[in-house]
Amino acid sequence: MLIGSYEHSLDAKGRVFMPAKFRDELGSEIVLVNGIDKCIYAFSTEQWNVFSQKFTSLPVTNQQAQKIMRRLYASAIEREPDKQGRILLSSELKEHAKITDDVKIIGMSTRVEIWSKQEWEKYSNTGDEEFDEQTLAALAELGI
C-alpha cells in the first residue's frame, strides 16, 4: 500500500527522486498522468490498467467521461526510474502541477501524487471547517 509523504527537489534535468518505498510498490515502469487536482498521478502499470479500465468500460456517449479520458490519456507517459531512483517529468506534467523546484510526494493507496510543495501547502491549508464538512459528507455518501 502506498502511504506517507516525502519532500524532494527536482534536479537540473527535471527529474524527481521517487522514494524507494514507493518504487518497490510501483515497479520498474511507472505511468505518469495529469492529476485531477494540480498534481501528477503516478501508477504502476497494473494499477493504471485497473484505473483506466473503469473509464474504458463507460459508453462513448458519456461526454464527461470522454473529456476526462482525453485529458488523462493525452498527458500520460511511461517512465522507468534510473539507477538512482529518479523519474523524468515531462514539461507538460510539470506545467500542469506548477512544479518548478521542491515537490511533495504523497502515497494515496494505489497511486502516488506528486505536488509542487507550494501547491500542496495551499491545498492542505484550505479552510478546515469547510473541508471537514465536505469530507464528512463524501464519506457518509460512501457509507464510511
Side-chain angles (χ1 to χ4, degrees):
M1 180 185 307
L2 297 160
I3 58 174
S5 64
Y6 302 86
E7 290 185 12
H8 289 286
S9 297
L10 286 184
D11 68 10
K13 294 183 180 179
R15 298 173 297 193
V16 64
F17 177 77
M18 185 65 66
K21 180 181 173 189
F22 289 172
R23 286 195 318 269
D24 291 344
E25 291 271 337
L26 293 171
S28 61
E29 192 168 279
I30 299 171
V31 177
L32 300 171
V33 62
N34 284 346
I36 303 299
D37 291 306
K38 291 184 176 133
C39 66
I40 299 167
Y41 292 166
F43 292 95
S44 67
T45 53
E46 179 184 347
Q47 284 301 319
W48 172 252
N49 290 335
V50 170
F51 180 77
S52 65
Q53 182 62 38
K54 292 175 184 178
F55 284 105
T56 56
S57 65
L58 296 171
V60 294
T61 55
N62 183 328
Q63 292 182 349
Q64 286 300 96
Q66 295 303 310
K67 285 180 183 179
I68 293 169
M69 282 179 65
R70 286 183 192 108
R71 290 176 190 253
L72 290 173
Y73 283 84
S75 69
I77 58 173
E78 295 174 322
R79 292 285 196 252
E80 292 180 23
D82 66 13
K83 291 179 183 180
Q84 287 76 40
R86 298 170 299 191
I87 298 171
L88 179 64
L89 302 179
S90 70
S91 57
E92 180 181 292
L93 290 171
K94 288 187 292 188
E95 185 177 317
H96 167 76
K98 299 184 178 184
I99 294 173
T100 56
D101 47 24
D102 295 330
V103 297
K104 186 83 168 186
I105 303 171
I106 301 164
M108 291 288 293
S109 182
T110 59
R111 71 175 185 268
V112 169
E113 292 184 351
I114 305 169
W115 289 75
S116 152
K117 185 178 175 187
Q118 295 80 11
E119 288 298 316
W120 172 253
E121 288 172 356
K122 284 184 206 173
Y123 177 82
S124 61
N125 290 328
T126 306
D128 288 335
E129 294 166 17
E130 182 180 332
F131 183 76
D132 287 342
E133 287 177 27
Q134 291 173 352
T135 302
L136 292 174
L139 291 174
E141 198 172 301
L142 294 171
I144 298 173

